[in-house]
Amino acid sequence: MEKIRYFDHAATTATKEEVLKEMLPYFSLNYGNASSMYSIGRKSRKAIEEARQKTAHAIGAEAKEIYFTSCGSESDNLSLKGVAYANRDRGNHIITTKIEHPAVLHTCQHLEKEGFRVTYLNVNEEGFINLSELENAIGKETILISVMFANNEIGTIQPIKEIGEIAKKHQIYFHTDAVQAIGNVRIDVKECNIDLLSMSAHKFYGPKGMGALYVKTGVKFEKIQDGGHQERNMRAGTENVAGIVGLGKAIELAYEKFDGYNEKIMSLRDYYISQIQEKISNTKVNGHRTKRLPGNANISFKYIDGEALLLNLDMKGICASSGSACTSGSLEPSHVLVAIGLSPEMANGALRVTFGDDNTKEDVNYLVDSLVEIVEKLRKTSQEYMKFNK
Ligand SMILES: *Cc1c(COP(=O)(O)O)cnc(C)c1O
């Protein structure tokens, strides 16, 4: 098989060797249950607390404010349901946005069925919420604002500090889904007045099936899973010690190598965008030009079907992602691209390319050359294109 060139780091990343190395002993050597008193149990407990410290340190939190979960989706569920249920006596209104990840959107829909009221804020063409629209949506019943730090499809980074200030002023809890931002953006939860923050290890070169949630001391929230007293009684289930160690190591590495890494992927991204703009006509960069994740490029190719584009890229060993909700096999355009006002045609022709540690400039050249060839081929069979570009 030919070499795989991976440009889908927003979907997942490979677990780093260094991370895996730290995890391995906790499977069959130091396998003790962290709740056990004997030595191998205590070793597990110690490893968990060290990882908690590293995770807290990376975002300017305290160790006791970190709860380990099974994934980013669980962290989002625990944040929204946990705060909603525990603060019912204060109100039933939640504010979020139209471009959240399904882990937030579908949790909100679930809460609506249980009697909560949810406002879904619009975003502009670049994917930003409007701060006065946010402030106007706040009412006496509002208990929680949930706005993602950075969008997974178009990379737009929200004005988190300003949102935190608004939430603080109105004494409303502020949750942010930072699953895409961790490792790519410097985050200080205190400086941004963030009350709850979700993250997921597999998006920053840690293992899949491992998440964490920061909850500021004093925030009233309740557990959503019943069982043992793990994670200070907020998240039942025997701790995934190896996974926790992996998350801790991955987040430590991400912030140790922050500048070099982010400069590298940003320059690959900018090179890619400029090459596409130079070599392929009828394209549009989605999202904001600079206030976006360093490794994210989302470009719409007019007159192109995203699915066909992905299939053709796959034949060349290239992994990327389309703008349609392809995971479910549906042909619906992405809710994010619809929210930023793309026509169905442009949304359908969107390609998300997300760069990471393993990419080189040579890889980008290969990607660009492949796209030039594939787009030309597909456009030749597009009636629309032939009609307008004879
Ligand atoms: C990937 C992702 C999630 C879900 O994380 P999992 O660990 O895969 O459950 C949530 N939010 C955003 C923004 C994501 O990109």
Side-chain angles (χ1 to χ4, degrees), residues 116-150:
F116 289 91
R117 196 165 62 79
V118 182
T119 301
Y120 300 89
L121 297 174
N122 289 310
V123 294
N124 68 11
E125 278 173 18
E126 290 167 328
F128 295 110
I129 63 158
N130 179 313
L131 293 172
S132 27
E133 202 180 314
L134 166 65
E135 204 151 13
N136 289 335
I138 295 172
K140 277 211 264 322
E141 297 287 309
T142 312
I143 50 175
L144 176 68
I145 296 169
S146 179
V147 176
M148 69 199 320
F149 208 112

Side-chain angles (χ1 to χ4, degrees), residues 71-73 76 101 148 152 177 179-180 200 202-203:
C71 59
S73 299
D76 285 340
H101 186 275
M148 69 199 320
N152 45 307
D177 175 341
V179 173
Q180 288 291 334
S200 175
H202 76 97
K203 302 287 174 77

